Amino acid sequence: MKKRILLISLIVISLTTFAQEKNGTVFIKHPAIEKTNSLWDAFVKGDKEAYGALLADTIAELSNGKPEVTTREKHVAQLDWWKNEFSNLSVVDHKPAFPDAIEYDEGGTWVQDWKLVTGTHNASGINIKVPLHNLYSFNDDGKITSIHHYYNNDVFEEIRNSATVKENGTIYINHPYIASVRKLVNAYCAKDIEKMSEFYSPKATFSSITTDYKKSNDLATQMDHWKKRFEEVDKFTMDQIGYPDCFHYEKGDIFVVQSWWNYSVKVGDKVYTAPMMLAHTFDKEGKIVDSSVYISSNHFED
């Protein structure tokens, strides 16, 4: 048995050794890395002369795998768009990543890096923060012959769309979901937790302006909160201010009701009053899946 195990181990080791074949060396410091760093320095400054000096006469540029072969002059001209369209432009190493230079025995010299591009688009005011992965190939003269970019294009689509006017749904002044919110408010003022729970999805989330925006309560936790609140307060009143709006957003296909109230609580002989805004998101079954409350807690301090 031991001989059999030893034989199998030797076969595995021999196969693993046979499968490994070195094809180059990876460098953490290399003249090619210095050139790619200089390329981005020139990019940020809009220095077309310094940028172009690092490129071969013909450049293959690939954005998310889509190739385009162009001349050095046309590629360099792109710097004008960045210089004119953006302020506070910055391109830095996306730590903790760092660039590598690879000298292949067969395949020449390549550099790969991970950058973070930040800046503000002047016309739209959109701030960009784009992680960018790049690959660069070099010819025998040390000039860059291809640049491969990989990044999420969503923010640039947002910038492009910002130049257009587009509707994103419909606003309703009367809608069944508005009635649901009014009935919910009435149940709240009546301290009727069982009735209130009927308006919510079991998966509903709850947040307020006084809590961390990343945190929310589930329905069970919120019901406990209501119970404690109802025991502390003698009476609630909520008077509608203006009129609620029901928004149907085309993007996401969701309904949201926003409403405004004059919120009062009576504790003993004292009455505390503050303006309140509510936002309720509804699911396809007409149940509330998200509830947000905007009210200043300072109004309830002695």
Side-chain angles (χ1 to χ4, degrees):
M1 183 66 179
K2 290 183 179 179
K3 290 183 179 180
R4 185 176 179 183
I5 294 174
L6 179 60
L7 178 60
I8 292 173
S9 299
L10 290 172
I11 291 173
V12 171
I13 292 171
S14 63
L15 289 174
T16 303
T17 304
F18 179 76
Q20 295 178 347
E21 183 178 358
K22 186 177 178 181
N23 186 34
T25 306
V26 179
F27 297 87
I28 192 171
K29 292 184 178 181
H30 194 280
I33 294 176
E34 295 177 7
K35 290 178 181 178
T36 57
N37 287 337
S38 296
L39 187 79
W40 286 111
D41 288 342
F43 173 86
V44 169
K45 296 174 183 176
D47 188 341
K48 293 192 287 187
E49 183 177 352
Y51 189 91
L54 296 162
L55 305 177
D57 292 339
T58 301
I59 299 295
E61 183 177 15
L62 295 89
S63 295
N64 293 328
K66 296 180 180 179
E68 179 181 350
V69 178
T70 185
T71 64
R72 175 172 53 203
E73 289 72 20
K74 289 183 178 180
H75 180 78
V76 170
Q78 298 177 32
L79 270 65
D80 288 333
W81 183 81
W82 286 93
K83 185 176 181 180
N84 295 331
E85 293 287 325
F86 288 88
S87 300
N88 305 317
L89 191 62
S90 172
V91 182
V92 297
D93 287 338
H94 197 183
K95 300 295 185 180
F98 52 85
D100 297 314
I102 307 168
E103 288 190 356
Y104 290 102
D105 295 336
E106 297 181 10
T109 300
W110 287 73
V111 169
Q112 63 174 349
D113 62 21
W114 293 263
K115 299 291 187 181
L116 183 64
V117 183
T118 58
T120 301
H121 186 242
N122 296 325
S124 66
I126 294 173
N127 295 316
I128 65 170
K129 189 175 182 181
V130 181
L132 178 65
H133 176 46
N134 306 292
L135 298 170
Y136 318 80
S137 63
F138 294 78
N139 61 19
D140 293 338
D141 296 326
K143 301 292 185 179
I144 297 172
T145 57
S146 70
I147 305 176
H148 306 242
H149 303 299
Y150 297 92
Y151 58 95
N152 187 321
N153 193 51
D154 287 352
V155 70
F156 297 107
E157 284 294 315
E158 184 181 0
I159 288 172
R160 183 179 66 83
N161 293 335
S162 70
T164 64
V165 176
K166 182 181 179 181
E167 294 181 353
N168 186 32
T170 306
I171 302 176
Y172 296 90
I173 193 170
N174 291 305
H175 194 280
Y177 293 163
I178 292 177
S180 292
V181 170
R182 289 199 186 102
K183 293 175 183 178
L184 172 64
V185 168
N186 291 338
Y188 178 86
C189 292
K191 300 183 180 180
D192 190 341
I193 294 178
E194 183 177 353
K195 182 65 176 178
M196 291 173 64
S197 65
E198 296 176 3
F199 294 95
Y200 294 96
S201 162
K203 298 180 180 179
T205 58
F206 300 81
S207 61
S208 73
I209 196 172
T210 59
T211 58
D212 190 318
Y213 77 97
K214 294 182 180 180
K215 296 181 180 179
S216 60
N217 292 335
D218 58 18
L219 181 56
T221 303
Q222 189 65 25
M223 290 176 69
D224 287 340
H225 171 76
W226 289 329
K227 183 178 180 181
K228 292 177 182 177
R229 183 66 170 156
F230 292 163
E231 291 172 351
E232 296 170 350
V233 175
D234 296 325
K235 183 181 179 181
F236 294 93
T237 59
M238 292 179 65
D239 298 318
Q240 182 178 300
I241 299 173
Y243 55 87
D245 291 315
C246 179
F247 299 87
H248 173 248
Y249 291 99
E250 182 179 322
K251 186 175 182 179
D253 188 22
I254 59 172
F255 283 89
V256 178
V257 174
Q258 294 183 1
S259 57
W260 296 264
W261 307 84
N262 193 41
Y263 177 79
S264 295
V265 296
K266 184 176 184 294
V267 181
D269 295 330
K270 293 185 177 181
V271 176
Y272 304 88
T273 303
M276 171 189 283
M277 175 183 169
L278 301 176
H280 294 95
T281 303
F282 289 78
D283 63 15
K284 301 298 183 184
E285 285 71 44
K287 298 294 186 179
I288 298 170
V289 292
D290 184 75
S291 174
S292 300
V293 178
Y294 302 87
I295 189 171
S296 172
S297 61
N298 294 338
H299 290 73
F300 303 97
E301 297 175 359
D302 291 328

